[in-house]
Amino acid sequence: MTTTTVQPVGADYGTDAPAVGGPVSSADEFSTLREVVVGRASGARIPNPQDISTWLALYSHLDSKQLAGIEGGELPAYVLEETEEDLEVLVESLRGLGVVVHRPADVDHARPFSTPHWESTSGMYSYCPRDLTLIVGDTIIETPSSVRARYHELDGLRGLFHRYLRAGSRWVSAPKPQLRDELYEIGADKLPALGELEPAFEAANVLRCGLDLFYQVSSSGNEFGRIWLESLLAPRGYRVHPVRDVYPFTHLDSTISLIRPGLVLLNPERVTEDNIPDALRRWDRLWCPPMRQVGSHATAQPLSSPWLGMNLLMVAPDLAIVDAAQHELIAALERHGVGVLPHTLRHGQVLGGGFHCVTLDTVRDAPAGIDYFA
Ligand code: DAV
């Protein structure tokens, strides 16, 4: 039997953690960044691929035979070490810009857990704080991920959220999903799909633009999830726009990137004149140039496609943090008056997260309630 040292949750929100400057206040993807969470690689692991929810979230393009060849468990130590180095460089760069940087507390993702309906052999990681928490104005929203292994992932951010709550934020959680087997469907193609038994979605299915939010319906977000989000936000004056038939797999943030009011970066393999969200039709469109494939091959099945190169973090409407290898994208942004700070995540695709994924902006300059489409 192994013994595990249990870190009190939020333990590193002690004396050396930076103070929060006030409540969370972030309503868009581009106004000047003031406070941000940057994820951690340590302890990252691939959850059991044989769990239907893992198959759906990470490998739904593989058939059950191919899936049998995937190994779960710890990622190679050098992948985690090099990723920690890359994240540290990102943290220093953000601090150099005057941004307050928070990090998740250490969580032991190797511990198994269960509910009355299933057992998970482990958690997953704290690498992508974007994925499960949606910040809308002064409100922290915990989203109902369909991935069982991620059920307790936000433990690493609870200490920080306590601080934000005390500073005047609101903090809500979507109805805790049961994630019973019946939620997951096997389609005619014999591949898994997300059903509609209960609301399920991840925060990274959503992009925020003041009063307007774009919600991608895909294998990581169902229609019922959109209905729940709308029930929370519509009474506060927000509009939740469904983005359907654009990308069937996971999140929205390597398909559409909001650069600044009036300028959107679009993935030309997924977005077309027909399926572009109506609200964005009046904006200037920057069609993303082809991606350069330079990432590591540390695992046979990386968790994202090469389009992760357009998964950028805006630190101000005229400044983006972009994968240094994407020369053509960088040049295109510069032609549109957007400066670029090139950065590298050597194992971004392996771990399934670029600069938008590995961050969670908790404070940006622009107030909530702006109508960018008026
Ligand atoms: O294109 O593989 C990656 C999105 C990560 N948040 C893709 C989606």
Side-chain angles (χ1 to χ4, degrees), residues 239-280:
R239 297 175 286 245
V240 181
H241 305 274
V243 179
R244 297 191 184 98
D245 304 319
V246 169
Y247 182 51
F249 298 119
T250 178
H251 307 142
L252 184 53
D253 53 359
S254 58
T255 300
I256 298 177
S257 301
L258 305 175
I259 304 297
R260 64 170 180 242
L263 180 64
V264 61
L265 174 66
L266 298 169
N267 180 325
E269 277 184 10
R270 299 175 188 168
V271 183
T272 66
E273 294 293 337
D274 292 332
N275 68 12
I276 184 172
D278 273 338
L280 292 173

Short mmCIF file of all heavy atoms in Angstrom, two decimals, residues 239-280:
data_model
loop_
_atom_site.label_atom_id
_atom_site.label_comp_id
_atom_site.label_asym_id
_atom_site.label_seq_id
_atom_site.Cartn_x
_atom_site.Cartn_y
_atom_site.Cartn_z
N ARG A 239 -25.92 37.48 -23.68
CA ARG A 239 -26.44 36.67 -24.78
C ARG A 239 -25.47 35.52 -25.01
O ARG A 239 -24.27 35.74 -25.17
CB ARG A 239 -26.51 37.51 -26.07
CG ARG A 239 -27.48 38.69 -25.98
CD ARG A 239 -27.40 39.55 -27.24
NE ARG A 239 -26.19 40.34 -27.28
CZ ARG A 239 -26.17 41.69 -27.23
NH1 ARG A 239 -27.28 42.38 -27.15
NH2 ARG A 239 -25.01 42.33 -27.27
N VAL A 240 -26.00 34.30 -25.00
CA VAL A 240 -25.16 33.12 -25.22
C VAL A 240 -25.44 32.61 -26.64
O VAL A 240 -26.53 32.13 -26.92
CB VAL A 240 -25.45 32.02 -24.18
CG1 VAL A 240 -24.55 30.81 -24.43
CG2 VAL A 240 -25.25 32.56 -22.76
N HIS A 241 -24.46 32.76 -27.53
CA HIS A 241 -24.64 32.36 -28.92
C HIS A 241 -24.14 30.93 -29.13
O HIS A 241 -22.96 30.67 -28.91
CB HIS A 241 -23.82 33.26 -29.86
CG HIS A 241 -24.12 34.71 -29.69
ND1 HIS A 241 -25.15 35.33 -30.35
CD2 HIS A 241 -23.52 35.67 -28.92
CE1 HIS A 241 -25.17 36.63 -30.00
NE2 HIS A 241 -24.20 36.85 -29.14
N PRO A 242 -25.00 30.04 -29.58
CA PRO A 242 -24.51 28.68 -29.86
C PRO A 242 -23.61 28.68 -31.10
O PRO A 242 -23.90 29.37 -32.07
CB PRO A 242 -25.79 27.89 -30.13
CG PRO A 242 -26.89 28.87 -30.29
CD PRO A 242 -26.43 30.22 -29.84
N VAL A 243 -22.52 27.95 -31.03
CA VAL A 243 -21.66 27.74 -32.19
C VAL A 243 -21.78 26.26 -32.52
O VAL A 243 -21.26 25.41 -31.78
CB VAL A 243 -20.20 28.11 -31.87
CG1 VAL A 243 -19.29 27.87 -33.08
CG2 VAL A 243 -20.10 29.56 -31.39
N ARG A 244 -22.53 25.96 -33.59
CA ARG A 244 -22.80 24.55 -33.91
C ARG A 244 -22.16 24.16 -35.24
O ARG A 244 -22.01 24.99 -36.12
CB ARG A 244 -24.32 24.33 -34.04
CG ARG A 244 -25.09 24.59 -32.77
CD ARG A 244 -26.54 24.08 -32.89
NE ARG A 244 -27.31 24.41 -31.71
CZ ARG A 244 -28.12 25.47 -31.59
NH1 ARG A 244 -28.29 26.31 -32.60
NH2 ARG A 244 -28.77 25.71 -30.46
N ASP A 245 -21.85 22.88 -35.36
CA ASP A 245 -21.35 22.34 -36.63
C ASP A 245 -20.08 23.04 -37.11
O ASP A 245 -19.90 23.29 -38.30
CB ASP A 245 -22.44 22.43 -37.72
CG ASP A 245 -23.70 21.73 -37.29
OD1 ASP A 245 -23.60 20.65 -36.68
OD2 ASP A 245 -24.81 22.28 -37.51
N VAL A 246 -19.25 23.44 -36.18
CA VAL A 246 -17.99 24.08 -36.53
C VAL A 246 -16.83 23.12 -36.23
O VAL A 246 -15.96 22.90 -37.06
CB VAL A 246 -17.81 25.41 -35.77
CG1 VAL A 246 -16.40 25.95 -35.92
CG2 VAL A 246 -18.81 26.44 -36.30
N TYR A 247 -16.83 22.54 -35.04
CA TYR A 247 -15.76 21.62 -34.64
C TYR A 247 -16.38 20.61 -33.69
O TYR A 247 -16.85 20.98 -32.61
CB TYR A 247 -14.65 22.42 -33.96
CG TYR A 247 -13.45 21.60 -33.53
CD1 TYR A 247 -12.81 20.75 -34.43
CD2 TYR A 247 -12.94 21.69 -32.24
CE1 TYR A 247 -11.71 20.01 -34.03
CE2 TYR A 247 -11.84 20.96 -31.84
CZ TYR A 247 -11.23 20.12 -32.75
OH TYR A 247 -10.13 19.40 -32.35
N PRO A 248 -16.41 19.34 -34.09
CA PRO A 248 -17.17 18.37 -33.29
C PRO A 248 -16.45 17.91 -32.02
O PRO A 248 -17.06 17.34 -31.15
CB PRO A 248 -17.33 17.19 -34.25
CG PRO A 248 -16.18 17.30 -35.20
CD PRO A 248 -15.89 18.77 -35.33
N PHE A 249 -15.13 18.14 -31.95
CA PHE A 249 -14.38 17.56 -30.83
C PHE A 249 -14.40 18.48 -29.62
O PHE A 249 -15.45 18.77 -29.09
CB PHE A 249 -12.97 17.17 -31.28
CG PHE A 249 -12.98 16.13 -32.36
CD1 PHE A 249 -12.43 16.39 -33.61
CD2 PHE A 249 -13.60 14.91 -32.15
CE1 PHE A 249 -12.47 15.43 -34.61
CE2 PHE A 249 -13.64 13.94 -33.15
CZ PHE A 249 -13.08 14.21 -34.40
N THR A 250 -13.22 18.93 -29.20
CA THR A 250 -13.19 19.59 -27.91
C THR A 250 -13.42 21.11 -28.02
O THR A 250 -14.32 21.58 -28.70
CB THR A 250 -11.91 19.15 -27.15
OG1 THR A 250 -11.85 19.82 -25.91
CG2 THR A 250 -10.65 19.43 -27.92
N HIS A 251 -12.59 21.87 -27.34
CA HIS A 251 -12.84 23.29 -27.05
C HIS A 251 -12.87 24.22 -28.28
O HIS A 251 -12.47 23.82 -29.37
CB HIS A 251 -11.76 23.78 -26.08
CG HIS A 251 -11.66 22.91 -24.88
ND1 HIS A 251 -10.48 22.60 -24.27
CD2 HIS A 251 -12.62 22.27 -24.18
CE1 HIS A 251 -10.69 21.80 -23.24
NE2 HIS A 251 -12.00 21.59 -23.16
N LEU A 252 -13.26 25.46 -28.02
CA LEU A 252 -13.42 26.46 -29.09
C LEU A 252 -12.14 27.24 -29.37
O LEU A 252 -12.03 27.92 -30.39
CB LEU A 252 -14.56 27.42 -28.67
CG LEU A 252 -15.03 28.51 -29.62
CD1 LEU A 252 -15.39 27.95 -31.00
CD2 LEU A 252 -16.23 29.26 -29.04
N ASP A 253 -11.14 27.15 -28.47
CA ASP A 253 -10.06 28.15 -28.52
C ASP A 253 -8.89 27.82 -29.43
O ASP A 253 -7.85 28.45 -29.35
CB ASP A 253 -9.58 28.51 -27.10
CG ASP A 253 -9.20 27.31 -26.25
OD1 ASP A 253 -9.31 26.16 -26.73
OD2 ASP A 253 -8.78 27.52 -25.10
N SER A 254 -9.05 26.85 -30.32
CA SER A 254 -8.09 26.74 -31.42
C SER A 254 -8.87 26.80 -32.74
O SER A 254 -8.39 26.39 -33.79
CB SER A 254 -7.28 25.45 -31.34
OG SER A 254 -8.14 24.36 -31.34
N THR A 255 -10.07 27.35 -32.64
CA THR A 255 -10.96 27.46 -33.79
C THR A 255 -11.33 28.93 -34.04
O THR A 255 -11.35 29.39 -35.18
CB THR A 255 -12.24 26.62 -33.55
OG1 THR A 255 -11.84 25.26 -33.37
CG2 THR A 255 -13.21 26.72 -34.70
N ILE A 256 -11.60 29.65 -32.95
CA ILE A 256 -11.90 31.08 -33.02
C ILE A 256 -11.10 31.77 -31.91
O ILE A 256 -11.11 31.31 -30.77
CB ILE A 256 -13.41 31.35 -32.79
CG1 ILE A 256 -14.26 30.67 -33.87
CG2 ILE A 256 -13.69 32.85 -32.74
CD1 ILE A 256 -15.77 30.82 -33.68
N SER A 257 -10.36 32.83 -32.25
CA SER A 257 -9.68 33.63 -31.23
C SER A 257 -10.10 35.08 -31.40
O SER A 257 -9.97 35.64 -32.49
CB SER A 257 -8.15 33.54 -31.36
OG SER A 257 -7.73 32.21 -31.23
N LEU A 258 -10.60 35.66 -30.32
CA LEU A 258 -11.02 37.07 -30.38
C LEU A 258 -9.79 37.92 -30.09
O LEU A 258 -9.22 37.85 -29.00
CB LEU A 258 -12.13 37.33 -29.36
CG LEU A 258 -13.36 36.40 -29.49
CD1 LEU A 258 -14.35 36.65 -28.36
CD2 LEU A 258 -14.03 36.58 -30.85
N ILE A 259 -9.35 38.70 -31.06
CA ILE A 259 -8.08 39.43 -30.94
C ILE A 259 -8.30 40.79 -30.27
O ILE A 259 -7.56 41.18 -29.37
CB ILE A 259 -7.44 39.62 -32.33
CG1 ILE A 259 -7.25 38.25 -33.01
CG2 ILE A 259 -6.11 40.38 -32.23
CD1 ILE A 259 -6.30 37.32 -32.29
N ARG A 260 -9.27 41.51 -30.76
CA ARG A 260 -9.63 42.81 -30.17
C ARG A 260 -11.02 43.13 -30.71
O ARG A 260 -11.47 42.49 -31.66
CB ARG A 260 -8.60 43.88 -30.56
CG ARG A 260 -8.55 44.17 -32.04
CD ARG A 260 -7.71 45.38 -32.41
NE ARG A 260 -7.73 45.54 -33.85
CZ ARG A 260 -6.66 45.48 -34.65
NH1 ARG A 260 -5.46 45.31 -34.14
NH2 ARG A 260 -6.79 45.63 -35.95
N PRO A 261 -11.69 44.13 -30.16
CA PRO A 261 -13.01 44.45 -30.70
C PRO A 261 -12.90 44.71 -32.21
O PRO A 261 -12.07 45.51 -32.64
CB PRO A 261 -13.41 45.72 -29.94
CG PRO A 261 -12.65 45.64 -28.65
CD PRO A 261 -11.34 44.97 -29.00
N GLY A 262 -13.64 43.96 -33.00
CA GLY A 262 -13.63 44.17 -34.45
C GLY A 262 -12.68 43.27 -35.21
O GLY A 262 -12.67 43.30 -36.44
N LEU A 263 -11.87 42.46 -34.54
CA LEU A 263 -10.92 41.58 -35.25
C LEU A 263 -10.93 40.18 -34.65
O LEU A 263 -10.70 40.00 -33.45
CB LEU A 263 -9.51 42.15 -35.20
CG LEU A 263 -8.42 41.32 -35.91
CD1 LEU A 263 -8.67 41.25 -37.42
CD2 LEU A 263 -7.02 41.89 -35.64
N VAL A 264 -11.21 39.19 -35.53
CA VAL A 264 -11.27 37.80 -35.06
C VAL A 264 -10.35 36.94 -35.92
O VAL A 264 -10.25 37.12 -37.13
CB VAL A 264 -12.72 37.28 -35.08
CG1 VAL A 264 -13.32 37.30 -36.50
CG2 VAL A 264 -12.81 35.86 -34.51
N LEU A 265 -9.65 36.01 -35.26
CA LEU A 265 -8.79 35.03 -35.94
C LEU A 265 -9.60 33.74 -36.10
O LEU A 265 -10.17 33.24 -35.12
CB LEU A 265 -7.54 34.80 -35.09
CG LEU A 265 -6.55 33.71 -35.54
CD1 LEU A 265 -5.88 34.09 -36.86
CD2 LEU A 265 -5.48 33.50 -34.45
N LEU A 266 -9.63 33.22 -37.34
CA LEU A 266 -10.48 32.05 -37.60
C LEU A 266 -9.67 30.90 -38.17
O LEU A 266 -8.75 31.11 -38.97
CB LEU A 266 -11.58 32.44 -38.61
CG LEU A 266 -12.55 33.53 -38.16
CD1 LEU A 266 -13.40 34.01 -39.34
CD2 LEU A 266 -13.45 33.02 -37.03
N ASN A 267 -10.03 29.71 -37.80
CA ASN A 267 -9.40 28.48 -38.28
C ASN A 267 -10.04 28.12 -39.63
O ASN A 267 -11.22 27.77 -39.69
CB ASN A 267 -9.64 27.38 -37.25
CG ASN A 267 -9.03 26.06 -37.64
OD1 ASN A 267 -8.99 25.71 -38.81
ND2 ASN A 267 -8.55 25.33 -36.64
N PRO A 268 -9.26 28.20 -40.73
CA PRO A 268 -9.85 28.02 -42.07
C PRO A 268 -10.28 26.59 -42.37
O PRO A 268 -10.99 26.36 -43.34
CB PRO A 268 -8.71 28.45 -43.00
CG PRO A 268 -7.46 28.19 -42.22
CD PRO A 268 -7.82 28.41 -40.77
N GLU A 269 -9.84 25.63 -41.54
CA GLU A 269 -10.29 24.25 -41.77
C GLU A 269 -11.62 23.97 -41.08
O GLU A 269 -12.21 22.93 -41.29
CB GLU A 269 -9.24 23.26 -41.25
CG GLU A 269 -8.14 23.02 -42.25
CD GLU A 269 -7.16 21.97 -41.80
OE1 GLU A 269 -7.40 21.27 -40.79
OE2 GLU A 269 -6.11 21.86 -42.46
N ARG A 270 -12.03 24.86 -40.22
CA ARG A 270 -13.25 24.59 -39.44
C ARG A 270 -14.34 25.64 -39.67
O ARG A 270 -15.51 25.30 -39.72
CB ARG A 270 -12.91 24.53 -37.95
CG ARG A 270 -11.93 23.42 -37.63
CD ARG A 270 -11.49 23.44 -36.19
NE ARG A 270 -10.42 22.48 -35.96
CZ ARG A 270 -9.68 22.42 -34.86
NH1 ARG A 270 -9.91 23.28 -33.88
NH2 ARG A 270 -8.72 21.53 -34.74
N VAL A 271 -13.92 26.91 -39.75
CA VAL A 271 -14.92 27.97 -39.89
C VAL A 271 -15.08 28.29 -41.37
O VAL A 271 -14.10 28.34 -42.11
CB VAL A 271 -14.48 29.23 -39.11
CG1 VAL A 271 -15.56 30.30 -39.20
CG2 VAL A 271 -14.17 28.89 -37.66
N THR A 272 -16.33 28.46 -41.79
CA THR A 272 -16.61 28.80 -43.18
C THR A 272 -17.56 29.99 -43.22
O THR A 272 -18.08 30.41 -42.18
CB THR A 272 -17.30 27.63 -43.91
OG1 THR A 272 -18.60 27.45 -43.30
CG2 THR A 272 -16.50 26.34 -43.81
N GLU A 273 -17.78 30.51 -44.42
CA GLU A 273 -18.73 31.61 -44.57
C GLU A 273 -20.12 31.18 -44.08
O GLU A 273 -20.91 32.01 -43.65
CB GLU A 273 -18.82 32.03 -46.04
CG GLU A 273 -17.55 32.65 -46.60
CD GLU A 273 -17.19 34.00 -45.96
OE1 GLU A 273 -18.10 34.67 -45.44
OE2 GLU A 273 -16.00 34.36 -45.97
N ASP A 274 -20.41 29.88 -44.15
CA ASP A 274 -21.73 29.41 -43.77
C ASP A 274 -21.90 29.25 -42.27
O ASP A 274 -22.96 29.52 -41.73
CB ASP A 274 -22.02 28.05 -44.43
CG ASP A 274 -22.15 28.19 -45.93
OD1 ASP A 274 -22.56 29.29 -46.37
OD2 ASP A 274 -21.82 27.23 -46.64
N ASN A 275 -20.83 28.78 -41.59
CA ASN A 275 -21.05 28.46 -40.17
C ASN A 275 -20.49 29.50 -39.21
O ASN A 275 -20.58 29.32 -37.99
CB ASN A 275 -20.51 27.05 -39.85
CG ASN A 275 -18.98 26.96 -39.93
OD1 ASN A 275 -18.30 27.98 -40.00
ND2 ASN A 275 -18.45 25.75 -39.92
N ILE A 276 -19.89 30.57 -39.72
CA ILE A 276 -19.34 31.60 -38.82
C ILE A 276 -20.48 32.19 -37.98
O ILE A 276 -21.57 32.44 -38.49
CB ILE A 276 -18.61 32.70 -39.63
CG1 ILE A 276 -17.96 33.70 -38.68
CG2 ILE A 276 -19.52 33.40 -40.61
CD1 ILE A 276 -17.05 34.71 -39.38
N PRO A 277 -20.27 32.31 -36.67
CA PRO A 277 -21.34 32.87 -35.84
C PRO A 277 -21.80 34.24 -36.38
O PRO A 277 -20.96 35.07 -36.73
CB PRO A 277 -20.68 33.00 -34.47
CG PRO A 277 -19.57 32.00 -34.47
CD PRO A 277 -19.09 31.91 -35.89
N ASP A 278 -23.11 34.42 -36.46
CA ASP A 278 -23.67 35.64 -37.05
C ASP A 278 -23.07 36.90 -36.47
O ASP A 278 -22.75 37.84 -37.19
CB ASP A 278 -25.19 35.66 -36.85
CG ASP A 278 -25.88 34.93 -37.99
OD1 ASP A 278 -25.24 34.80 -39.07
OD2 ASP A 278 -27.03 34.47 -37.80
N ALA A 279 -22.92 36.93 -35.13
CA ALA A 279 -22.46 38.16 -34.49
C ALA A 279 -21.08 38.57 -35.02
O ALA A 279 -20.74 39.74 -35.04
CB ALA A 279 -22.40 37.97 -32.97
N LEU A 280 -20.28 37.59 -35.47
CA LEU A 280 -18.90 37.89 -35.90
C LEU A 280 -18.81 38.29 -37.37
O LEU A 280 -17.75 38.69 -37.84
CB LEU A 280 -17.99 36.69 -35.64
CG LEU A 280 -17.73 36.37 -34.16
CD1 LEU A 280 -16.96 35.05 -34.02
CD2 LEU A 280 -16.96 37.50 -33.47
#
